[in-house]
């Protein structure tokens, strides 16, 4: 989802391929970043002694929010069929050598069943890709990794 709506996907893959670097697809099973409307906001103290001020400001303007259902800071795709499509899509991208599954064990079983015993990654059909685009197009999603910035000078992740 971040690949298409966050503006960082193809550029990152192209740079990795150009430099011969393998790619681990992070959060490939995520719908998007949780917002203060869809999750529980994490308290940001007035001062942090262990992180720079710019990072504290980023945490205020792009709040870290935790899922009320899962132990994640993003919204994982919890429909097993759609989750498998997201992971397969990531694994089908040129340059991607591995994916990290959602950070909750509840969703891991379906993914491992999908690839267990396979010599190669199953190919995702064009119809599945088109269906995924339609599915997420209508959702109000904030990509986890995105190129939006309050000041316009710093890319926020």
């Amino acid at each position: 989802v971040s690949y298409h709506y966050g503006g960082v996907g193809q550029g990152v893959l192209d740079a990795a391929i150009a430099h011969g670097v393998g790619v681990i697809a992070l959060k490939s099973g995520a719908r998007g970043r949780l917002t203060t409307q869809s999750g529980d906001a994490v308290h940001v103290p007035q001062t942090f002694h262990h992180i720079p001020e710019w990072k504290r400001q980023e945490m205020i303007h792009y709040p870290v929010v935790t899922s009320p259902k899962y132990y994640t800071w993003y919204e994982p795709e919890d429909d097993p069929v759609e989750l498998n499509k997201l992971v397969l899509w990531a694994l089908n991208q040129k340059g991607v050598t591995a994916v990290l599954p959602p950070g909750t064990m509840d969703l891991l079983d379906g993914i491992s069943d999908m690839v267990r015993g396979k010599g190669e990654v199953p190919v995702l059909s064009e119809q599945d890709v088109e269906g995924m685009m339609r599915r997420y197009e209508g959702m109000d999603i904030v990509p986890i990794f995105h190129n939006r910035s309050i000041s316009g000078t710093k890319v926020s992740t």
Side-chain angles (χ1 to χ4, degrees), residues 51-154:
I51 65 169
E53 180 60 16
W54 68 264
K55 184 64 177 174
R56 189 179 83 77
Q57 289 300 318
E58 182 179 80
M59 290 172 70
I60 291 168
H61 296 294
Y62 295 98
V64 175
V65 180
T66 59
S67 170
K69 185 174 180 182
Y70 299 107
Y71 296 107
T72 58
W73 56 270
Y74 57 90
E75 183 180 8
E77 176 59 74
D78 54 6
D79 177 304
V81 172
E82 298 302 324
L83 175 60
N84 283 345
K85 288 178 187 176
L86 286 174
V87 171
L88 274 181
W89 183 88
L91 286 170
N92 276 263
Q93 300 310 298
K94 182 179 178 185
V96 172
T97 55
V99 297
L100 291 181
T104 177
M105 295 303 287
D106 298 339
L107 301 174
L108 183 59
D109 288 341
I111 296 170
S112 56
D113 288 344
M114 173 183 64
V115 294
R116 184 176 287 121
K118 305 263 190 321
E120 293 186 16
V121 174
V123 176
L124 194 62
S125 73
E126 278 300 314
Q127 292 85 359
D128 282 336
V129 173
E130 290 169 8
M132 288 168 54
M133 294 299 291
R134 283 191 304 276
R135 173 182 172 80
Y136 296 110
E137 205 169 52
M139 294 183 183
D140 185 22
I141 294 174
V142 177
I144 291 176
F145 306 109
H146 56 86
N147 62 0
R148 298 185 216 170
S149 168
I150 290 173
S151 66
T153 59
K154 182 187 170 303

